[in-house]
Amino acid sequence: MTRKAETERKVPPKRTNSAAPDLAAVSSAAPSPRIASVLVVVVFSGYLLMQLVNVLDSAPGGVELLMCAGIPPVLAALQYVHSSPYRAALRSRVLPWSLVLQAVLTFTPLVAFGWHWGGMAGFLAGSLLLLLPSVAGWSMFGTTVAAVVVISAIQSLGVVNIAYMGVSTALTGLIIFAVVRLAGLATAIHESRDELARMAVARERLRFARDLHDLLGYSLSSITLKNELIARLIDSNPQRAREEVAEVLTISRQALADVREVARGYRDMSLLVEAESARSVLKAAGIDARIDVSVTGLSSTANTILATVLREGVTNVLRHSQPNGCSITTALDVEESFVELEIVNDGVGAGSAVPTSTVSSGTGLGNLAARVATVGGGLRVGPEENDEPDVFRLVVRVPVHAAPATEASGARATVSRLSV
């Protein structure tokens, strides 16, 4: 019992935002992770030094001087644990108690000795923004600033000094938060650049392998077939053998040119030229070729994709089947601006060298599906409902005005199976 043909899946090409910044330019302008880390240390050291100067300028007594020697280093160590991208494991073990300890060491000397210890609150405010969830972080940030303002007011500072304490605490916290976040972003950008470089290499390797398969598979199959024909003709029909040798030379030169173009990363192909080549190769194999590819007005990309599909389709006919006839036709859908190429042969079945399942799931068809999907087209393979058991079809639809796919194209390649 037969099943109806599976509907061809059309996948539109992914649009890219031309106004988006170039990641390569952004990553080149970003400081290296090491420089970003040094900048964070410099900023922390600068604010810590300012705090020490403020305390020492107030002529501290013995107890305060002792706390001045002990508290800032501990706060610096806590800030390092809270800010360093390399101490994530340690942070997960000590939180939230490290924040509690930082808050105690920040407000205890501020309450006990006066406003000149207020600079430490900016470090606490920055840590809260860095380590707490967004809402909680900003809430605790505001609470810290308000606490500094209240303590300053209780200590009978003037309005200007109270405002200064609140603003300086807020600015210090925001600067620490921004510097640490920017350092993390710089590190992430450089790691992303390395990953993008690896992906680009992988994409280029895949392109090269795919193009070599699509180009040389056809050419080498044609050369092998014609050489076998020449071996049979060389005694009985020398003139025909010489003609076939000339065609082998032409195919070999074209294969060499194709390899060079693949290495350069640029290759345009003509559907009409490939159709004539297919006619010659199929004729040499003793296959009745019925070819009609009269469609015109295709973009260079559409022309190249259809020519590539034709090459792979004819290669599969020669390798995996023993047909008497093969038809290659095109049809133009004017309303949807799509062109359809169909390759049909009658040699798949008991006499074929490879079963249908293997033919329809090969690497070549996977490559073709990937090519077609990047421009918003679709590919389907297999017999249709009313076909004879030994018939095999390969049908591809691509936009008439298909444009080259960008690297960001995320179209998903699928090969629809039409089976009985």
Side-chain angles (χ1 to χ4, degrees):
M1 184 160 182
T2 61
R3 292 182 297 178
K4 289 189 175 181
E6 188 176 323
T7 304
E8 174 186 359
R9 181 174 182 175
K10 301 177 184 176
V11 183
K14 185 178 180 179
R15 296 183 179 179
T16 56
N17 184 3
S18 59
D22 185 4
L23 182 57
V26 173
S27 61
S28 298
S32 68
R34 179 173 297 180
I35 292 177
S37 298
V38 170
L39 291 176
V40 172
V41 173
V42 169
V43 171
F44 285 171
S45 300
Y47 276 104
L48 188 61
L49 181 61
M50 290 171 57
Q51 176 59 49
L52 291 174
V53 170
N54 286 335
V55 173
L56 294 175
D57 187 59
S58 65
V63 176
E64 186 177 1
L65 190 60
L66 185 61
M67 294 186 69
C68 183
I71 290 179
V74 176
L75 289 177
L78 288 172
Q79 194 64 51
Y80 172 72
V81 172
H82 292 165
S83 306
S84 174
Y86 309 108
R87 295 292 175 265
L90 179 59
R91 276 198 300 274
S92 64
R93 293 198 299 268
V94 299
L95 285 175
W97 302 110
S98 59
L99 278 175
V100 173
L101 178 59
Q102 187 175 8
V104 171
L105 295 179
T106 296
F107 285 106
T108 298
L110 176 60
V111 173
F113 301 112
W115 64 271
H116 43 274
W117 282 86
M120 296 294 186
F123 289 89
L124 175 62
S127 294
L128 292 170
L129 286 179
L130 289 171
L131 301 177
L132 296 181
S134 180
V135 175
W138 285 105
S139 299
M140 294 304 297
F141 173 85
T143 301
T144 302
V145 174
V148 172
V149 171
V150 170
I151 293 172
S152 300
I154 293 174
Q155 294 178 353
S156 302
L157 295 181
V159 175
V160 174
N161 289 331
I162 292 173
Y164 169 80
M165 292 296 293
V167 171
S168 65
T169 300
L171 288 179
T172 301
L174 291 174
I175 290 172
I176 290 174
F177 172 73
V179 169
V180 173
R181 279 287 184 263
L182 289 176
L185 289 175
T187 301
I189 287 174
H190 279 266
E191 290 176 353
S192 298
R193 183 173 63 179
D194 294 340
E195 182 63 24
L196 287 175
R198 288 191 292 270
M199 291 175 61
V201 171
R203 280 197 303 268
E204 183 61 15
R205 287 175 178 169
L206 178 61
R207 181 197 69 81
F208 196 79
R210 182 183 62 192
D211 287 353
L212 283 180
H213 177 278
D214 293 344
L215 289 171
L216 294 186
Y218 172 84
S219 299
L220 295 178
S221 296
S222 301
I223 292 171
T224 301
L225 178 65
K226 286 186 174 290
N227 280 327
E228 292 174 350
L229 178 61
I230 291 168
R232 295 196 302 267
L233 294 175
I234 197 166
D235 293 327
S236 61
N237 192 344
Q239 178 60 33
R240 174 74 184 282
R242 283 193 291 271
E243 293 175 358
E244 294 296 335
V245 168
E247 290 197 18
V248 168
L249 291 174
T250 300
I251 295 173
S252 300
R253 294 189 184 103
Q254 183 59 49
L256 179 60
D258 288 340
V259 170
R260 289 171 176 169
E261 289 176 353
V262 168
R264 292 198 301 267
Y266 175 81
R267 178 171 55 90
D268 276 342
M269 298 171 62
S270 169
L271 178 60
L272 296 178
V273 171
E274 292 303 321
E276 288 304 314
S277 177
R279 187 191 304 273
S280 173
V281 172
L282 293 173
K283 180 182 177 182
I287 300 172
D288 180 20
R290 301 176 296 278
I291 299 178
D292 179 11
V293 290
S294 57
V295 64
T296 58
L298 303 179
S299 68
S300 175
T301 300
N303 217 346
T304 298
I305 290 177
L306 291 176
T308 304
V309 172
L310 178 54
R311 275 198 175 193
E312 179 63 23
V314 172
T315 300
N316 284 341
V317 170
L318 297 175
R319 286 180 176 176
H320 305 310
S321 61
Q322 298 177 356
N324 295 316
C326 177
S327 68
I328 301 171
T329 59
T330 56
L332 183 64
D333 188 336
V334 179
E335 293 183 359
E336 297 186 10
S337 296
F338 270 76
V339 61
E340 183 175 278
L341 171 68
E342 183 178 60
I343 304 173
V344 184
N345 78 85
D346 59 3
V348 176
S352 63
V354 180
T356 305
S357 59
T358 304
V359 176
S360 60
S361 60
T363 301
L365 293 178
N367 289 343
L368 296 182
R371 289 177 183 273
V372 173
T374 58
V375 296
L379 179 75
R380 66 180 191 268
V381 295
E384 292 186 347
E385 181 179 2
N386 298 320
D387 285 338
E388 296 296 328
D390 60 349
V391 169
F392 185 81
R393 293 177 184 269
L394 187 155
V395 184
V396 60
R397 279 171 57 90
V398 299
V400 173
H401 304 295
T406 63
E407 290 187 358
S409 293
R412 180 182 176 185
T414 58
V415 181
S416 297
R417 292 283 304 282
L418 309 180
S419 56
V420 294

